Amino acid sequence: MRRLLFMGCLSYLLTGCTHVIYGAVLPELLAHYGRSYSDGGLLVFLEFGGFLLGVLCMPYLIRRISRRSTITTAFGLLFIAMIAVASLPPWPIAVSLSLIAGVAFGLVESSISTFILIAAKDQQAVAFSKLEVFFGLGALIMPLVSSALIAGGAWKFAFLLLGLSALATGIIWSKLSLGEHDELLAHRADLTKKAEKPPALTKGSLVFLLLFMFVFFMYAGMENTIVNFLPSIFIDQLHATSSVSSLSVTAYWLAMVVGRVFAGVIAEKMTYFRYLAVSYVGSLLIVLVWVFSTQLWSSFAVVLLLGLFMSGMFAVALIYANQLLPGRTEQTTSALIASGGLGGSVLPLAAGWSMDRFHVGVSIWFVLIGMLLVLGVILFSRKWNTQALHSSKQLKTYT
């Protein structure tokens, strides 16, 4: 299990880097091609489109070519895409490569997350929170590396570095032995024809799945809205300088990383439902304070606290949903992560449109309303949680 967690964390570190690499070098990339920020928006949007495609294809690929082959193929695609982008091809090809990178990103994240959830058993929250820590580290490290390369006039080598890292990781996955988990890694549908099919969704389970797809849609949308528009909020409402306002994003990710270190352990002790309820109540109160915050120091405090409370939401909600929909780990995980990818691309666009037409501070209200809606869904989900408790002897596991 240690070896699996190590490889999972390494892989999530690279997905975190992939998540932010285009944004980290976007001004230089657009300047090289003589393009506008709307073209940059298309680049990022296609990356998320590829991410959705990769996540949705994951269950099918795992059944047809095995989990190991799916993961190594994904890293191969990422290697090809990043090396090709580093060569600075014509713009239409560069845009297409962002789609391929997104597909690879989605395949890696969804394949490894389901693998960890199946293998970890009673320690799912602890194991998955470690993955999330390394995702956050990747999102922190890549901008720093890109900044150093930009200062040296070698920004395109950020893509080369990520591509070579993906190649090395893919090779390791292709040769890796995980002992008792090798059977899961090599699983193929044609070798397990007698394996049980995923249980059919009942009407109640379908409603629960749809509700949690909404939770992930809103969560990813809120997180991306915060990350993308924090500097603008600090500049417009607090009159902070660009250099100071950019630190707000760093502060948010630092708090996320620190929070994820402890999120799994806390969730296991509190139960998943209570952890999610406390996280969303706390976040709602913090954002409410943010609405009336007029000082720079208090706004930084709000950002740090918000990062801490939001740090475990994704991982714990994913595990909670899978526990209440047993036997459908790959299908449920794929649907929920895909919903998050959709929300992460669509809702920030809506928030940006509103900010252009109304006021920058409207993005804070957007997050506030989103937190309120998701909290309502989490509390409503208690109905299915109670049913699961009555139908299982493993009381602690299902809560």
Side-chain angles (χ1 to χ4, degrees):
M1 189 63 195
R2 287 184 178 181
R3 189 177 296 180
L4 172 58
L5 269 178
F6 174 81
M7 287 305 301
C9 290
L10 175 61
S11 301
Y12 258 61
L13 181 72
L14 292 182
T15 59
C17 292
T18 307
H19 182 64
V20 301
I21 189 170
Y22 279 104
V25 300
L26 192 61
E28 285 69 26
L29 190 67
L30 295 180
H32 172 80
Y33 285 103
R35 297 283 172 169
S36 66
Y37 277 101
S38 61
D39 295 308
L42 175 63
L43 199 71
V44 176
F45 184 79
L46 284 177
E47 184 184 17
F48 270 97
F51 173 82
L52 285 173
L53 181 61
V55 171
L56 294 173
C57 288
M58 180 274 295
Y60 173 79
L61 289 176
I62 284 179
R63 290 194 299 269
R64 301 310 304 169
I65 65 173
S66 85
R67 196 181 305 274
R68 185 193 298 273
S69 297
T70 299
I71 294 172
T72 54
T73 299
F75 279 115
L77 287 174
L78 185 58
F79 165 71
I80 292 170
M82 293 296 99
I83 294 298
V85 172
S87 68
L88 300 178
W91 177 253
I93 296 177
V95 171
S96 301
L97 290 170
S98 70
L99 181 70
I100 296 174
V103 170
F105 173 25
L107 282 174
V108 170
E109 182 173 331
S110 55
S111 297
I112 292 176
S113 61
T114 56
F115 194 6
I116 294 293
L117 288 176
I118 293 171
K121 298 179 181 178
D122 295 333
Q123 294 294 316
Q124 290 179 327
V126 175
F128 204 90
S129 64
K130 291 179 180 178
L131 297 182
E132 289 284 278
V133 167
F134 277 82
F135 183 94
L137 286 174
L140 271 175
I141 292 170
M142 196 70 240
L144 297 176
V145 172
S146 299
S147 178
L149 291 173
I150 289 170
W155 57 270
K156 67 179 182 180
F157 288 104
F159 295 101
L160 179 62
L161 180 61
L162 182 55
L164 293 176
S165 300
L167 176 62
T169 306
I171 291 173
I172 295 173
W173 271 109
S174 68
K175 306 294 183 181
L176 184 67
S177 174
L178 296 174
E180 63 177 320
H181 301 303
D182 278 343
E183 186 177 350
L184 277 174
L185 190 59
H187 166 74
R188 276 208 314 269
D190 58 347
L191 296 179
T192 56
K193 292 181 180 179
K194 295 183 180 180
E196 294 184 2
K197 294 182 179 180
L201 285 172
T202 63
K203 182 179 179 181
S205 296
L206 178 60
V207 171
F208 176 82
L209 178 60
L210 291 174
L211 286 173
F212 262 71
M213 288 175 68
F214 174 77
V215 168
F216 277 76
F217 180 87
M218 292 301 301
Y219 168 81
M222 289 185 293
E223 182 186 278
N224 274 10
T225 297
I226 292 169
V227 171
N228 286 316
F229 299 123
L230 262 182
S232 299
I233 293 171
F234 271 63
I235 291 172
D236 185 81
Q237 299 203 158
L238 304 173
H239 308 293
T241 63
S242 296
S243 58
V244 171
S245 62
S246 65
L247 290 176
S248 61
V249 179
T250 303
Y252 178 78
W253 275 111
L254 279 173
M256 289 281 277
V257 170
V258 172
R260 285 171 176 176
V261 171
F262 305 101
V265 176
I266 296 172
E268 294 286 356
K269 291 182 178 180
M270 290 181 63
T271 74
Y272 301 151
F273 169 78
R274 290 175 184 171
Y275 179 90
L276 290 172
V278 170
S279 294
Y280 277 102
V281 168
S283 297
L284 181 63
L285 294 175
I286 291 167
V287 177
L288 190 61
V289 172
W290 194 10
V291 171
F292 302 101
S293 177
T294 58
Q295 300 295 321
L296 188 61
W297 69 267
S298 60
S299 295
F300 266 106
V302 163
V303 169
L304 288 170
L305 289 172
L306 192 59
L308 286 174
F309 273 94
M310 292 183 67
S311 60
M313 288 178 175
F314 184 91
V316 175
L318 188 63
I319 297 165
Y320 180 64
N322 273 291
Q323 292 287 3
L324 295 181
L325 295 171
R328 301 183 56 86
T329 300
E330 289 168 0
Q331 293 79 8
T332 299
T333 301
S334 178
L336 295 181
I337 293 179
S339 299
L342 182 63
S345 60
V346 172
L347 293 187
L349 289 177
W353 180 88
S354 300
M355 289 167 64
D356 285 338
R357 284 155 181 78
F358 301 105
H359 187 267
V360 170
V362 74
S363 58
I364 302 177
W365 284 98
F366 171 83
V367 175
L368 179 67
I369 294 171
M371 289 291 180
L372 185 60
L373 290 174
V374 175
L375 177 61
V377 172
I378 294 294
L379 295 176
F380 186 64
S381 74
R382 184 64 174 173
K383 172 184 177 182
W384 280 270
N385 182 50
T386 302
Q387 291 176 349
L389 289 175
H390 284 304
S391 62
S392 172
K393 295 180 180 179
Q394 296 179 339
L395 179 69
K396 185 175 180 180
T397 300
Y398 279 90
T399 55

